[in-house]
Amino acid sequence: MNMNNNELFIEKYKELEYLVSIKYNIPKNGSEISFLEKRIEFSNYRKELEYCREVRNFLQHECKIDQEFAVIASNEMINLIDKIIELVKNPITAIKICKKIDQIYYKGLNDYVVSSMLAMNHKKYTHIPIIENKKIVGVFSKTSIFNLLMEEDVCSLNSSVRFKDIINYIKLNTEKYLFCKSDMNIKEMEEIVINEFRNGSKVSMIFVTSNGNEMGDFIGLFTPFDIMGI
């Protein structure tokens, strides 16, 4: 059984090397796992990958004591390689974790602000995407209403006010919003969010669109909290 574990480990390790060389179009020269260790999407497994690489090198040199391997690949190591193989084949992308349009609360420019605010308060939502003709044209939030009341010097809103009437206060530049394509790797987006935070900018929401910017058709959305630690 121990010999089989080592053989299985080496077999799966070779499979992983092959997949990496094909997936990332790099030469198959024994440095494939080192390549993975440097990629942000595998940062959570960096130490484990390094350890597996060392064990594989040890086994490849057929280091034995009395005809027995000095190192035995554990079931956990084999399971880890299986997990990495799956991540290489099917990486976690934006489309896999975002909330689609039928899963979110959103409004259009002709919808009423006050009634939407009541629903927003009842449902404990912090932001309402404003979608028009499949495009994100704005986001309504507490920041929107605060800026509106302060700059317009009003104390209340009429129930007939529509989002199109307060367009200047729901524009996408009122808070920090990011855009990405559906196939963007979540670990790469996590790194972008972290860098924004380090630069003093708090990302409120990330929108997934057909072309990765605000001109594309809306596909879904997620927040920084949805991706941290994935």
Side-chain angles (χ1 to χ4, degrees):
M1 179 178 178
N2 288 336
M3 284 291 292
N4 289 339
N5 252 29
N6 282 352
E7 291 169 356
L8 182 59
F9 172 78
I10 292 174
E11 179 181 320
K12 289 181 177 294
Y13 192 97
K14 289 180 179 179
E15 179 185 354
L16 178 57
E17 286 182 315
Y18 174 77
L19 286 172
V20 171
S21 67
I22 298 299
K23 174 80 173 183
Y24 300 103
N25 192 29
I26 62 173
K28 192 176 185 310
N29 57 14
S31 64
E32 294 85 355
I33 308 306
S34 296
F35 173 84
L36 280 190
E37 293 169 22
K38 296 180 178 67
R39 293 188 62 86
I40 182 64
E41 62 264 43
F42 297 98
S43 58
N44 291 345
Y45 305 100
R46 193 163 290 153
K47 290 184 178 179
E48 289 87 347
L49 283 169
E50 182 180 357
Y51 182 71
C52 286
R53 179 164 50 84
E54 291 175 354
V55 170
R56 185 264 188 186
N57 291 339
F58 197 76
L59 292 176
Q60 281 293 98
H61 288 92
E62 299 184 0
C63 295
K64 296 182 180 180
I65 299 175
D66 293 333
Q67 303 304 310
E68 295 288 339
F69 280 105
V71 172
I72 304 298
S74 66
N75 292 330
E76 289 75 15
M77 292 175 65
I78 293 171
N79 291 338
L80 173 69
I81 297 295
D82 279 335
K83 186 172 185 178
I84 301 300
I85 287 173
E86 181 60 26
L87 285 175
V88 172
K89 288 181 177 179
N90 300 295
I92 302 174
T93 55
I95 192 65
K96 291 184 179 181
I97 63 101
C98 72
K99 293 180 177 64
K100 314 302 189 297
I101 194 166
D102 60 340
Q103 299 174 303
I104 65 172
Y105 182 76
Y106 69 95
K107 291 295 179 180
L109 289 174
N110 284 315
D111 289 316
Y112 295 102
V113 176
V114 173
S115 60
S116 299
M117 288 173 61
L118 294 174
M120 185 179 181
N121 183 61
H122 176 70
K123 298 175 183 292
K124 307 300 180 184
Y125 294 141
T126 59
H127 295 73
I128 301 177
I130 310 301
I131 301 175
E132 198 76 16
N133 297 321
K134 297 183 180 181
K135 304 290 190 296
I136 290 285
V137 296
V139 179
F140 180 78
S141 68
K142 291 180 180 180
T143 300
S144 306
I145 195 65
F146 178 81
N147 291 340
L148 171 65
L149 295 177
M150 291 299 292
E151 294 181 23
E152 298 294 332
D153 196 24
V154 295
C155 296
S156 62
L157 284 178
N158 189 294
S159 60
S160 64
V161 175
R162 302 172 190 261
F163 286 107
K164 66 181 180 180
D165 301 321
I166 61 167
I167 188 68
N168 288 335
Y169 301 99
I170 62 173
K171 289 182 177 179
L172 293 171
N173 61 2
T174 57
E175 294 185 42
K176 186 67 178 184
Y177 301 106
L178 299 178
F179 289 81
C180 70
K181 291 184 178 181
S182 59
D183 62 351
M184 184 168 192
N185 191 290
I186 286 305
K187 278 298 180 181
E188 293 178 9
M189 177 54 72
E190 181 183 2
E191 187 73 4
I192 293 173
V193 170
I194 291 173
N195 287 334
E196 289 283 352
F197 179 78
R198 288 171 179 163
N199 292 328
S201 181
K202 180 183 176 182
V203 176
S204 296
M205 197 173 294
I206 302 107
F207 296 110
V208 184
T209 63
S210 57
N211 64 358
N213 62 52
E214 61 186 274
M215 300 304 296
D217 289 349
F218 176 82
I219 295 174
L221 62 83
F222 55 95
T223 71
F225 298 104
D226 294 325
I227 61 175
M228 292 302 175
I230 285 183

